[in-house]
Amino acid sequence: MSRVRQPVPIENKSKKVSSSADSKINNNKSATEGDLFKLIYENLPAGILMLDEGGKILRFNKSFQKLLDYSKADLKNTAFKDILFKNEAVKYTGALTGILEGKYESLNIQLKCHSKDNREIDLTCRLALLDEGGRKKKKIILLCSDASEINDINEKLLDEIHLFNTFLKNTQDYVYFKDLESRFVKVSESMGEKLGVAAPRIIGKTDFDFFGEEHAKDAFEDEKNIIKTRVPIIEKEEEENWKDGRINWVSTSKMPFYDRKGRVAGTFGISRNITRRKKIDLTHNALLRISEAVFTASDMRSMFVTIHEVLGTLMPVKNLFIALYDEKEDMLTFPYYIDEYDEPREASKPRKGLTEYILRTGRAQLIDEEMDYALREMGEVEIIGTPAKIWLGVPLKIADKTIGVIVVQDYDNPKAYQEPEMQLISFIAENIALVIERKRNVVEIERYTEELKQLNATKDKFFSIIAHDLKNPFITILGFSELLLADYYDLTDDEKLYYIQEMKKSSENSHILLQNLLQWSRSQTGFIEFHPQNVNLANIIIQNIELLKATAEKKDIALLYSMDSNISVYADIDMINTVIRNLISNAVKFTPRHGRISISALRAGNMINIAVEDSGVGMDSEAIARLFKLDAGRSTEGTERETGSGLGLILCKEFVKKNGGDIWVESRINEGSKFTFSVPAY
């Protein structure tokens, strides 16, 4: 830090002028300067204070009064530190001492003052020693301004910086600033992604560090010319060749950028990747034919034949095959396979061939004999088929998902395929993948359309059944209730009892139907939650036998069961209860008086088979085929004219499937039926 320089007396070697005229001129000049100083002092927006050595306020201007709302009387004989907040006094005193001792010529500090109404005011203050020609008593000049104005400016500046950084972080275009030597000084994050380097690590480097010599040199010459002429380049299409052999196309605009003094400081550029557009231009006819094949090809194979022919107009493709991967089935198929030496590969689980290597990595690969050998040495691949001199595999992708691979290979010429061919097939592969997926989707849509038609027809039939079955019980209830009300005193007790029993029977049937309907609708709309757990099977069967025991006894039907009491299943207890209850209830319904129903359970591998067998009326094959279908007709009456809707068995099938099992039936006319369903063992 420099010390205050003491004023150096200057000897006046000029002749003394003593005339009264000259004296008058000097006095007028002094008066003019004094007026000018006073004008500035009073009208300067900044507050001005003069302090003595002890910090007492000697003079102040109107601007200072306005800053803090003090009157002249308030500030008279006041020390500056008295209007500071207490915790600011130490900082101020230190600054004042440093100025008085000559440690600083001037000093800027931030101070918090309180206004007359005790508001907190942030001031930016500059302290300096007043040079009065070596007088012993020193005076301090203090310039003050409202710091909030500066803070507002700083906030605006920070906002501008934030907006600029947000733009550089999120723009998808490649934005860069270069200095006069074409070195990067600032780049967007997208530029870092393009170059494969974090944006900060690009600073200080040039195009020669990333691109091939040809493109880097052209870009350098362009930038030198812009700096020299200050004439921008607008939307120039450039071919970018990379050090690794890749070729990209960009549309670039470049212009000079200037420093704060208006001098050219370098260049500013924005480029946009137009590689896709250029490749489309280069392969327009090929893509047009491939696109036409989507609509004209009668099947997938004829479409692949067209693709093979199209590629043949762009490069040698004597050997080409397409492999498709089914993720659900984990199967690799080869719907198109043309090769000079090898027979088409059969569909199989993925192995460790070069095709599977492309599937795993998801990247296009040019593999010559040397690389093929290296991959085998590393255990990445194994030989499948005849090794080629050059092998090119390109993934077929939908978004980031690889659905297959297109492969061309040459057994004689190791230079048959190079980077341009890989780029071209990579581009066409995107369209091929879309075409394949579109064809697959057409098939799926047709299947879903047919299923939807069937589903709508089934539901229509279902609702007609429900309307009929719900209507009949109420007709019975309303009819008998009207008879009871109209002829109550004329009816015998036996007749009254008969009507009441029939009304009860109809009510019970309606209640069962509504319960089944509610459960079915909830299952169809996904409102039934699935909570599998370890369940003791014997307990469930016993509970349902007890529940239906009274119904069976009315027909003198014996309910029997035989199973290991320790058998447990892993299933949703509510769903299994519904299945067992419906099957036993149906068996009672179709078993004549004095019959028998037996329930058993046996282990079959990882499943438990639960069987409900009756000695009832049985069914033929046609009736069995209609059992689990809504649109196959209404339920038949029981042995004592018991009614139903057939919905119970549909619920049984849905719940069994939900638990990971299956349900089937064995039956013969007049010999009974055996319903069996399976659930996972615990």
Side-chain angles (χ1 to χ4, degrees), residues 411-587:
Y411 294 104
D412 304 313
N413 180 12
K415 300 293 185 182
Y417 310 117
Q418 298 184 44
E419 189 69 25
E421 286 76 20
M422 185 169 74
Q423 292 288 337
L424 179 60
I425 293 183
S426 294
F427 180 61
I428 294 178
E430 297 178 13
N431 293 275
I432 294 173
L434 290 172
V435 167
I436 292 171
E437 190 68 10
R438 193 177 297 127
K439 282 289 186 182
R440 284 177 168 179
N441 289 339
V442 167
V443 174
E444 285 297 301
I445 290 171
E446 289 175 352
R447 184 173 65 84
Y448 290 144
T449 301
E450 186 59 31
E451 288 181 357
L452 184 59
K453 287 180 180 177
Q454 293 295 328
L455 182 60
N456 285 334
T458 298
K459 286 187 176 180
D460 290 343
K461 183 67 175 178
F462 165 75
F463 286 122
S464 68
I465 292 171
I466 295 305
H468 181 273
D469 288 341
L470 277 177
K471 181 180 179 181
N472 285 341
F474 282 104
I475 291 174
T476 300
I477 294 170
L478 289 171
F480 284 138
S481 61
E482 286 177 0
L483 286 173
L484 280 171
L485 286 172
D487 303 326
Y488 182 81
Y489 295 106
D490 298 329
L491 295 172
T492 65
D493 290 341
D494 289 340
E495 288 174 328
K496 292 176 183 176
L497 181 61
Y498 171 75
Y499 291 158
I500 293 171
Q501 287 174 337
E502 289 300 313
M503 290 168 63
K504 182 177 183 297
K505 204 180 292 182
S506 295
S507 300
E508 287 174 345
N509 289 335
S510 298
H511 182 253
I512 292 171
L513 176 60
L514 286 172
Q515 278 188 317
N516 286 338
L517 175 60
L518 178 61
Q519 283 188 302
W520 183 85
S521 63
R522 291 181 66 201
S523 71
Q524 294 297 297
T525 53
F527 285 109
I528 292 183
E529 296 183 357
F530 179 57
H531 296 296
Q533 56 183 299
N534 179 22
V535 180
N536 182 277
L537 186 59
N539 289 341
I540 295 179
I541 291 175
I542 291 171
Q543 289 171 8
N544 280 282
I545 287 175
E546 289 298 319
L547 181 66
L548 298 168
K549 187 177 181 180
T551 305
E553 287 177 347
K554 289 180 181 178
K555 297 175 70 174
D556 292 326
I557 295 172
L559 287 177
L560 309 172
Y561 74 93
S562 61
M563 69 188 68
D564 185 343
S565 61
N566 294 320
I567 289 181
S568 293
V569 296
Y570 186 70
D572 184 293
I573 188 169
D574 292 331
M575 292 184 182
I576 297 305
N577 257 317
T578 300
V579 174
I580 293 173
R581 184 170 62 252
N582 270 287
L583 292 181
I584 296 175
S585 179
N586 273 2

Side-chain angles (χ1 to χ4, degrees), residues 241-263:
N241 64 300
W242 296 68
K243 287 188 173 183
D244 60 5
R246 285 179 294 143
I247 301 293
N248 281 342
W249 286 83
V250 294
S251 174
T252 299
S253 294
K254 299 179 182 180
M255 58 211 73
F257 82 85
Y258 302 86
D259 62 18
R260 289 178 296 173
K261 295 182 179 179
R263 298 173 301 194

Side-chain angles (χ1 to χ4, degrees), residues 85-120:
F85 281 88
K86 291 182 180 180
N87 55 352
E88 297 287 279
V90 175
K91 180 166 57 172
Y92 160 71
T93 302
L96 186 63
T97 301
I99 292 293
L100 290 171
E101 292 179 354
K103 292 181 180 179
Y104 318 107
E105 289 185 359
S106 63
L107 192 64
N108 289 332
I109 58 173
Q110 294 279 118
L111 294 171
K112 293 184 183 294
C113 301
H114 51 75
S115 64
K116 186 173 181 178
D117 57 1
N118 209 34
R119 288 180 293 109
E120 182 179 305

Side-chain angles (χ1 to χ4, degrees), residues 591-602:
T591 299
R593 288 182 172 275
H594 312 300
R596 61 192 298 276
I597 298 170
S598 62
I599 302 100
S600 61
L602 294 172

